[in-house]
Amino acid sequence: MDIKIENSWKQRLALEFEKTYFQNLITFVKQEYATQTVYPPGSKIFYAFDACPFDQVKVVIIGQDPYHGAGQAHGLAFSVNDGVTKPPSLINIFKELHDDLGKPVPKSGNLSRWAEQGVLLLNATLTVRANTPGSHQGKGWEEFTDAAIKALSNEKSGIVFLLWGAYAQKKGAIVDAKKHYVLKAKHPSPMAAKYGGWFGTKHFSQTNEYLRSQGKPEIDW
C-alpha cells in the first residue's frame, strides 16, 4: 500500500502499511471522507510526520483526537490553523509557556513552527468525524501511532516525551524511560488546569535544559 508520508517515516513504518489492521483502517477512513465531514483535510492526515522527519525528532507531545470543529485541525496535536480561535487547552499551554519562559503569548495557535524544530505533535487518532469526538477511535490509528512511538523509542535516544494527561501517559508507557527523558503532567484542559497539576510544571524550560545537556539546540517555543 502506497501511503503519502514523509520518506524517513515511510521507511520506518512500511511494515505497518501492509498489515491487515491498517488496510482495514484506510478502507474505513476513505469511506468516512466520502460520506461524512471529517477532519483534518485528507492532505493533512500525516502532517505531524511530514513536518517533523524521523531523524529530526527531539521532542514528542502526544495528543488524543484531532479537533472536531470546522477549520481547526490541520494534523498537529493541540495546534490550529492561523486565524482560528485558540481552543481552551492551547490557551492554557500558552499561559504556562509565558509563566515558564516569559515569552509573549503567540497570536496564532499554529504550532508548525514547533514541528519544524523537531517537535512531533502526534495525536493517537489521526482523523475524526465533524462534531463527534472519539468517532475514529478503535479503528486502528492507535496501533499505527504506537508503532511510530516504538520506532522512536527503540531507534533513538535522548528524546523528550511530554505526556500531558492520563491518556498520553498510558500511551507513552511503551517509551524506554532509561533512554529518553519523560515528563508527565495533568492535561492542559480547563478542568484539569483548574484543579492543579498543569500550571507550574515548567515543561518547556525543563525540555530546553535537557536538550542543552545533550548538546542539542533548544526549542524556540
Side-chain angles (χ1 to χ4, degrees):
M1 183 175 288
D2 185 32
I3 300 297
K4 294 181 179 178
I5 189 172
E6 192 276 330
N7 193 53
S8 63
W9 280 109
K10 193 169 191 175
Q11 293 173 13
R12 277 12 181 256
L13 299 171
L15 291 177
E16 300 303 309
F17 302 145
E18 304 307 319
K19 293 180 179 178
T20 300
Y21 88 85
F22 191 84
Q23 295 174 7
N24 292 339
L25 168 64
I26 294 303
T27 298
F28 166 78
V29 168
K30 285 181 176 178
Q31 178 67 13
E32 284 284 286
Y33 273 91
T35 61
Q36 307 288 334
T37 300
V38 179
Y39 302 124
S43 63
K44 294 291 188 180
I45 292 174
F46 296 106
Y47 182 50
F49 300 101
D50 296 338
C52 188
F54 185 90
D55 295 333
Q56 297 178 24
V57 176
K58 297 189 291 186
V59 180
V60 178
I61 298 176
I62 297 176
Q64 190 165 351
D65 264 10
Y67 294 123
H68 54 84
Q72 292 181 304
H74 67 127
L76 303 179
F78 294 104
S79 179
V80 292
N81 281 301
D82 292 321
V84 175
T85 301
K86 293 190 282 287
S89 291
L90 186 55
I91 290 173
N92 285 338
I93 288 170
F94 284 162
K95 185 177 187 302
E96 172 61 19
L97 175 60
H98 170 74
D99 293 345
D100 185 7
L101 295 176
K103 294 180 70 71
V105 173
K107 293 181 179 178
S108 173
N110 189 330
L111 303 181
S112 295
R113 63 189 181 279
W114 292 7
E116 291 162 3
Q117 296 177 74
V119 181
L120 180 67
L121 294 151
L122 183 64
N123 278 317
T125 303
L126 300 188
T127 54
V128 68
R129 190 184 291 188
N131 306 314
T132 316
S135 51
H136 287 191
Q137 291 178 7
K139 303 297 184 180
W141 280 131
E142 294 91 343
E143 187 171 345
F144 176 73
T145 50
D146 276 355
I149 293 168
K150 287 176 184 175
L152 289 168
S153 180
N154 293 341
E155 292 188 42
K156 295 171 72 77
S157 61
I159 294 176
V160 182
F161 285 86
L162 300 180
L163 307 180
W164 298 340
Y167 184 92
Q169 289 164 25
K170 184 177 179 181
K171 190 170 182 70
I174 59 177
V175 174
D176 185 347
K178 295 178 181 177
K179 292 173 58 183
H180 303 280
Y181 189 46
V182 178
L183 293 173
K184 300 178 182 180
K186 291 285 184 67
H187 194 277
S189 67
M191 187 62 70
K194 178 181 178 181
Y195 291 104
W198 168 250
F199 293 119
T201 52
K202 298 189 180 300
H203 278 188
F204 302 103
S205 59
Q206 288 187 67
T207 294
N208 279 349
E209 286 168 12
Y210 179 78
L211 292 175
R212 282 198 303 272
S213 77
Q214 298 292 302
K216 299 176 183 178
E218 298 179 16
I219 304 300
D220 181 7
W221 302 104

